[in-house]
């Protein structure tokens, strides 16, 4: 679902992809809006099943899953797609 297990590398790649897709302006015919997906922890769904619950610690969520999303948002991503899993009962 991402660029690997290393949050730092994943963050660098996420930012580079956003800049590559969106360029300097979305008004150019050569650019496309970047969409970060699937937010959040979609890749950690139990049994790898879509729409399933996610059993993940707060530390893993913040230190492994969130950094690439933050990097993409900081790079100016124009869109984020949510996931459809249950996280902490919600």
């Amino acid at each position: 679902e991402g660029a690997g297990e290393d949050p730092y590398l994943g963050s660098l790649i996420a930012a580079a992809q956003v800049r590559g897709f969106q360029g300097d302006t979305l008004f150019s015919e050569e650019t496309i809006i970047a969409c970060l997906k699937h937010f959040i922890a979609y890749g950690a769904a139990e049994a790898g099943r879509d729409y399933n619950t996610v059993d993940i610690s707060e530390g893993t969520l913040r230190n492994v899953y969130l950094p690439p999303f933050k990097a993409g948002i900081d790079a100016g991503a124009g869109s984020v797609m949510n996931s459809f899993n249950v996280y902490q009962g919600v």
Side-chain angles (χ1 to χ4, degrees):
E1 295 292 330
E5 296 178 0
D6 183 327
Y8 177 71
L9 177 60
S11 297
L12 294 177
I13 292 172
Q17 288 176 320
V18 169
R19 288 191 301 271
F21 286 131
Q22 294 188 169
D24 293 330
T25 176
L26 287 173
F27 294 107
S28 169
E29 292 181 8
E30 297 176 356
T31 61
I32 186 171
I33 194 167
C35 181
L36 307 176
K37 62 182 211 174
H38 290 92
F39 187 79
I40 188 170
Y42 182 75
E46 289 182 359
R49 295 185 347 214
D50 289 340
Y51 315 114
N52 206 6
T53 189
V54 172
D55 186 13
I56 190 170
S57 72
E58 186 75 17
T60 299
L61 179 70
R62 293 187 179 275
N63 294 313
V64 176
Y65 284 86
L66 286 178
F69 281 99
K70 182 178 183 323
I73 290 168
D74 290 347
S79 177
V80 177
M81 180 185 289
N82 66 306
S83 64
F84 301 100
N85 48 286
V86 175
Y87 172 67
Q88 293 188 345
V90 178

